Amino acid sequence: TRTSRPQRILKAVQRKATVGDPQSVITAIDHFCRHREWAMNVGDEKGSILDSVVSEVSPVTVLELGTYCGYSTVRIARLLPPGACVITLEFNPDYAAIARQVIKWSGLEDKVQLVEGASGDWIPWMKEHFGVQAFDLVFLDHWKERYLPDTKLLEECGLIQKGTVLLADNVICPGTPDYLEYVRNSPRYNSHYYRSHLEYTKAEDGLEKSVFLGY
Ligand SMILES: O=C(NC/C=C/[C@H]1O[C@@H](n2cnc3c(NCCO)ncnc32)[C@H](O)[C@@H]1O)c1cc(-c2ccc(F)cc2)cc(O)c1O
Ligand SMILES: [Mg+2]
């Protein structure tokens, strides 16, 4: 049978990127998705905004919801100092297998903990299983209707504390209206919209950064 889109993305990385060079992995995926086949990576334009937020927060522990092929995982991990790590959740085993290889090719496996499973099942175990106290940064890029319930679950589990930064992809396209309404109207979050474009297109999209202010 035909290869899957993630398999074709991995092939592009193996053909064009240099082992141990995260930037070449990012460039290879962006080139493939812009010129060969669109895919739902955060992309280069929104990726630069993601980079600036990661650099500004300089997080020790990051949670990513929705690994897909590992493109944003590599973007985040390449900016983390020694000792810092990103825990990324992916419930599709085929995507997880591809992402592991992309992350390995970039040479960043020591900074990444890829967990195969659903966010709703794993978030309640984060403290016990990974010894996480609270996340410094959460990147939301999984099913759009899960952004709000998973944010509330993170709050209930005490994994969001004063200063935790939530960064959400696709708040315009495909859109996450209930999540946006929540973080923009809650007195406990300070929210800012970074206007950009849907990856590899001219359509509007953007990232919403929400800082938790504490209880
Ligand atoms: O739909 C989009 N992203 C979804 C990502 C899903 C990935 O995350 C994984 N995943 C999902 N839910 C969970 C979960 N928990 C929830 C379930 O229990 N726990 C763990 N992993 C989860 C999936 O297995 C995938 O790997 C999107 C669309 C467009 C788009 C825009 C315009 C268009 F025309 C078309 C498409 C642009 C984007 O940037 C987008 O991110
Ligand atoms: Mg996205």
Side-chain angles (χ1 to χ4, degrees):
T1 56
R2 233 167 85 82
T3 58
S4 70
R5 184 169 305 181
Q7 282 170 324
R8 294 192 289 274
I9 286 171
L10 174 60
K11 280 265 165 311
V13 166
Q14 292 168 335
R15 268 201 320 266
K16 298 282 182 66
T18 307
V19 175
D21 176 356
Q23 189 53 55
S24 74
V25 169
I26 292 162
T27 303
I29 295 175
D30 283 330
H31 187 274
F32 180 79
C33 294
R34 185 174 290 280
H35 301 292
R36 289 278 176 279
E37 187 175 4
W38 187 92
M40 61 180 177
N41 315 116
V42 74
D44 43 359
E45 194 180 314
K46 289 187 290 177
S48 301
I49 300 167
L50 170 61
D51 289 356
S52 61
V53 171
V54 173
S55 302
E56 168 202 327
V57 176
S58 56
V60 175
T61 46
V62 182
L63 174 65
E64 176 180 63
L65 299 176
T67 317
Y68 189 45
C69 297
Y71 173 89
S72 47
T73 322
V74 168
R75 285 203 83 110
I76 294 165
R78 87 194 201 286
L79 298 175
L80 296 181
C85 92
V86 45
I87 298 173
T88 183
L89 301 186
E90 175 51 60
F91 73 175
N92 179 311
D94 301 324
Y95 296 170
I98 297 291
R100 285 191 202 286
Q101 295 174 78
V102 169
I103 293 159
K104 195 164 171 54
W105 198 273
S106 69
L108 292 166
E109 59 270 43
D110 296 349
K111 295 188 183 300
V112 178
Q113 177 87 28
L114 196 161
V115 178
E116 220 172 294
S119 50
D121 298 336
W122 271 95
I123 285 170
W125 292 103
M126 282 289 155
K127 288 195 178 220
E128 198 163 330
H129 200 272
F130 295 101
V132 173
Q133 207 258 333
F135 288 108
D136 303 304
L137 173 67
V138 181
F139 182 55
L140 299 96
D141 195 19
H142 59 331
W143 286 167
K144 308 313 161 194
E145 65 279 1
R146 291 293 312 183
Y147 282 25
L148 183 53
D150 283 345
T151 296
K152 289 183 172 171
L153 184 57
L154 284 163
E155 288 175 0
E156 286 154 24
C157 296
L159 289 161
I160 291 177
Q161 290 179 2
K162 188 170 163 51
T164 295
V165 174
L166 306 184
L167 188 66
D169 190 26
N170 311 116
V171 295
I172 302 300
C173 178
T176 62
D178 59 345
Y179 173 81
L180 267 194
E181 200 265 336
Y182 179 75
V183 289
R184 289 178 174 176
N185 298 342
S186 164
R188 302 214 305 261
Y189 287 96
N190 206 4
S191 261
H192 176 81
Y193 174 60
Y194 293 84
R195 188 166 185 224
S196 183
H197 295 95
L198 176 68
E199 49 266 30
Y200 318 115
T201 78
K202 292 183 168 36
E204 180 179 349
D205 189 21
L207 301 172
E208 187 83 1
K209 183 182 90 170
S210 308
V211 184
F212 189 65
L213 302 170
Y215 290 101

